[in-house]
Amino acid sequence: MIEKINFRDQVKELLLKKMRQGIINPEKSISLASLARELDVSVTPIREALTQLQTSGIVEAIPNRGFFIPELNSSEAENLYELVVSLESLAIRNSSFSDKIIKKLEASNRVFKNAKDEIQRINADIDFHNVLTSNYKNPMALKILADLKTRIFFYEVEFMSKIENYSNSDTEHEQIIDHIKNNNLEKACEVLKDNWIKVLKLQ
């Protein structure tokens, strides 16, 4: 149940949460009627929220069929990961990292290392990267990053499902943290790139 205020934004956040939990999957129709019953709202704010997500490239509308999570493809993956690497590297180069931020990064990496399944690992990994860019003073770039990572989530599901694919990710996170501690942000960006781009090699 949601509060009956600002329906569209609340519905949008709930839809994003369902995606991050693996409840809404690619190529399956998103039922407006079912969501309306579940959330106890009309279909109007749900359609508005999905239209916003369509603008961000997270869902697509197919005439006479409804809204869907787009199917995955290698070309889109290359574009998505390239953009995320570029924006996160820009954020790192233009951020200051306090002891508090570094401790948050270390804590996020511990959560990642102890994750029990791929959904937990993906969300923990995304949380780590969100902390990494949290001190960047460009809200527009951070909004774009958030949208990109929501779409990337579905590619990460395939990557994180195999333990051998993420076995070095926590070590790469540690390397990023160490380079930040040593104020070597360029090295941190190099490891960051490797950390993201290795997914593309598995497509």
Side-chain angles (χ1 to χ4, degrees):
M1 190 74 65
I2 62 175
E3 296 179 24
K4 294 189 176 182
I5 54 171
N6 199 8
F7 289 155
R8 182 195 62 198
D9 291 343
Q10 290 186 68
V11 169
K12 180 181 175 183
E13 288 306 310
L14 284 167
L15 289 170
L16 289 171
K17 184 177 180 180
K18 285 178 177 291
M19 292 175 193
R20 290 191 293 266
Q21 291 173 336
I23 297 172
I24 298 177
N25 298 306
E27 301 181 55
K28 292 185 179 179
S29 175
I30 300 171
S31 172
L32 275 66
S34 295
L35 286 169
R37 288 192 297 271
E38 178 185 347
L39 305 178
D40 192 23
V41 298
S42 71
V43 297
T44 300
I46 296 172
R47 186 178 291 106
E48 290 174 348
L50 287 168
T51 299
Q52 278 197 340
L53 294 174
Q54 180 187 7
T55 301
S56 300
I58 296 168
V59 302
E60 65 177 347
I62 300 177
N64 303 318
R65 291 186 61 196
F67 290 93
F68 292 79
I69 303 295
E71 63 181 79
L72 307 183
N73 68 80
S74 58
S75 177
E76 182 194 45
E78 290 179 7
N79 292 334
L80 286 170
Y81 283 90
E82 179 183 324
L83 283 170
V84 169
V85 169
S86 296
L87 286 173
E88 283 200 350
S89 297
L90 181 66
I92 290 173
R93 293 185 181 104
N94 289 277
S95 295
S96 58
F97 293 91
S98 64
D99 290 340
K100 182 178 180 180
I101 294 292
I102 290 172
K103 287 179 180 178
K104 282 185 177 181
L105 287 169
E106 292 171 337
S108 294
N109 197 35
R110 284 194 294 271
V111 172
F112 175 81
K113 291 168 70 172
N114 295 321
K116 304 301 182 184
D117 57 48
E118 62 264 29
I119 299 300
Q120 287 185 8
R121 284 193 291 274
I122 295 163
N123 284 306
D125 188 48
I126 289 174
D127 286 343
F128 174 85
H129 286 270
N130 287 344
V131 175
L132 193 61
T133 59
S134 61
N135 212 27
Y136 184 40
K137 308 303 182 185
N138 187 328
M140 185 175 294
L142 295 178
K143 172 63 172 61
I144 294 170
L145 268 173
D147 288 343
L148 291 171
K149 288 174 186 175
T150 298
R151 179 58 177 153
I152 270 178
F153 173 90
F154 300 104
Y155 290 92
E156 293 283 307
V157 167
E158 291 191 4
F159 174 73
M160 292 290 189
S161 63
K162 297 180 181 179
I163 191 166
E164 64 270 19
N165 290 342
Y166 71 88
S167 57
N168 292 326
S169 291
D170 58 328
T171 301
E172 290 167 341
H173 290 172
E174 290 170 358
Q175 291 172 352
I176 291 170
I177 294 169
D178 287 341
H179 287 314
I180 288 173
K181 285 180 178 178
N182 294 323
N183 201 31
N184 194 337
L185 301 186
E186 288 304 317
K187 280 290 186 182
C189 290
E190 288 178 15
V191 179
L192 173 81
K193 181 177 180 179
D194 291 338
N195 185 242
W196 277 118
I197 296 299
K198 65 183 176 184
V199 177
L200 295 179
K201 299 175 183 177
L202 303 170
Q203 301 298 318

